[in-house]
Amino acid sequence: MERHKVRFFVIAALVLALAAALFAIKNLYTRKPLELAFDAAYYFSEESSKSGAWAYEKSFSGHQYYLYLPPEYREDSDNPEAKLPLIVAFHGSDEKGQAFKYGRIFTDQNFQEKIYPKGAAVLLIFSRINYFTDPHGTGLLIQNVCIKNKCIDKEKIVGYGFSQGAKFAAEMACAEPELFRAVVSGSGFYQMTPKEILRVLPIQFYWANSEDDKGIFEQGMPTGRRVARFCKNSRYVQYKTRHHFYVELKDKSGRKNKDGSDETFMDWLCSVVNK
């Protein structure tokens, strides 16, 4: 009789331990909701203007940015029913003059028609110095852009970066894991610690490096492989001779779509914002 009791308690303990482990794993992979934080310095603008499809603002915090909204919402940005995904683009070091080339790949009509039924918003942030710093302050800026434009879905924010901007987007994901649904790193070199990997498990990554990008590849590759292995719906793409590059819509991930065609970065991004 005593032997049966011992066996029962051992089995019960194992079942409880397994249930606890499964609960812990599920919790680690569950994305926490983003609670928007209002801050006057990031909300109000010192300067504002419009340049074609882009609206320019300089906040009192010193941030300068351009925001693209689909035509339907430029005069209806307070419409919460739109639920537009937001792509935040970060340029590379010393690249303020070239920053628009990254934002514009997401404003093309074909992209806008394919990415989401009502299109997507695009936020192009300029670094305050020659490279990006202060993840918390930049996170506050993004949150206050969402507060000002209720047509944006705060649960569908994607960080997209090239070079130092890619490193910064990954750094932001570690510092503010509730902010981004996904992060795209082209020639990025942020080195995540094991603790940071645990923090970003719910975030989806598209990480790409090239072997001939000396110095950058050696730093970025280990993290790219880890996030692809452990973070849900993530990709790591490694090239031989692409040098220092940014991720383009037609780039292939190395995976297949359900119809057997090659999955592109565009396909992956659509899967991110439409789930």
Side-chain angles (χ1 to χ4, degrees), residues 186-211:
S187 300
F189 50 95
Y190 188 72
Q191 301 175 68
M192 290 186 191
T193 65
K195 184 177 180 180
E196 287 176 325
I197 294 286
L198 286 176
R199 284 172 62 83
V200 302
L201 288 177
I203 300 174
Q204 302 166 70
F205 287 87
Y206 191 104
W207 196 290
N209 286 105
S210 180
E211 295 174 22

Side-chain angles (χ1 to χ4, degrees), residues 2-232:
E2 292 299 321
R3 193 173 294 175
H4 289 303
K5 286 183 178 179
V6 171
R7 185 180 299 171
F8 170 80
F9 284 118
V10 169
I11 293 173
L14 289 173
V15 169
L16 287 173
L18 179 60
L22 291 173
F23 176 80
I25 291 171
K26 182 179 180 181
N27 187 58
L28 285 171
Y29 277 94
T30 299
R31 199 163 161 254
K32 306 299 187 296
L34 173 63
E35 300 296 334
L36 296 176
F38 170 80
D39 191 304
Y42 297 87
Y43 182 91
F44 293 108
S45 297
E46 183 179 0
E47 299 176 22
S48 63
S49 62
K50 289 190 176 182
S51 177
W54 296 88
Y56 165 81
E57 296 203 26
K58 180 181 180 182
S59 68
F60 282 97
S61 65
H63 289 89
Q64 298 182 70
Y65 65 88
Y66 284 85
L67 177 66
Y68 170 92
L69 294 176
E72 180 181 350
Y73 298 101
R74 288 173 197 161
E75 303 301 326
D76 191 23
S77 62
D78 284 337
N79 185 346
E81 300 301 318
K83 296 188 180 302
L84 300 175
L86 173 66
I87 300 169
V88 185
F90 298 98
H91 59 75
S93 179
D94 291 319
E95 273 204 327
K96 289 184 184 180
Q98 302 179 58
F100 269 101
K101 72 179 179 182
Y102 307 116
R104 285 184 180 131
I105 68 175
F106 302 116
T107 61
D108 176 79
Q109 185 177 350
N110 291 331
F111 173 86
Q112 286 286 317
E113 290 176 352
K114 186 175 181 181
I115 187 63
Y116 197 69
K118 298 178 181 179
V122 184
L123 179 62
L124 181 57
I125 300 177
F126 286 12
S127 61
R128 286 190 287 184
I129 53 178
N130 288 339
Y131 52 89
F132 289 100
T133 60
D134 187 13
H136 178 68
T138 307
L140 275 175
L141 174 71
I142 295 169
Q143 292 177 57
N144 280 269
V145 169
C146 292
I147 293 172
K148 291 175 72 170
N149 299 273
K150 295 180 176 61
C151 60
I152 294 172
D153 187 346
K154 64 185 178 70
E155 300 301 328
K156 293 184 177 181
I157 303 175
V158 177
Y160 171 96
F162 163 66
S163 190
Q164 197 271 327
K167 180 258 186 187
F168 184 69
E171 183 181 3
M172 281 193 68
C174 295
E176 310 274 347
E178 298 84 11
L179 183 63
F180 293 135
R181 171 175 285 208
V183 168
V184 183
S185 172
S187 300
F189 50 95
Y190 188 72
Q191 301 175 68
M192 290 186 191
T193 65
K195 184 177 180 180
E196 287 176 325
I197 294 286
L198 286 176
R199 284 172 62 83
V200 302
L201 288 177
I203 300 174
Q204 302 166 70
F205 287 87
Y206 191 104
W207 196 290
N209 286 105
S210 180
E211 295 174 22
D212 64 347
D213 193 7
K214 298 303 180 183
I216 301 298
F217 172 74
E218 289 80 1
Q219 295 179 73
M221 175 269 290
T223 296
R225 289 183 174 177
R226 289 176 189 136
V227 295
R229 180 177 181 183
F230 296 110
C231 299
K232 62 181 182 181

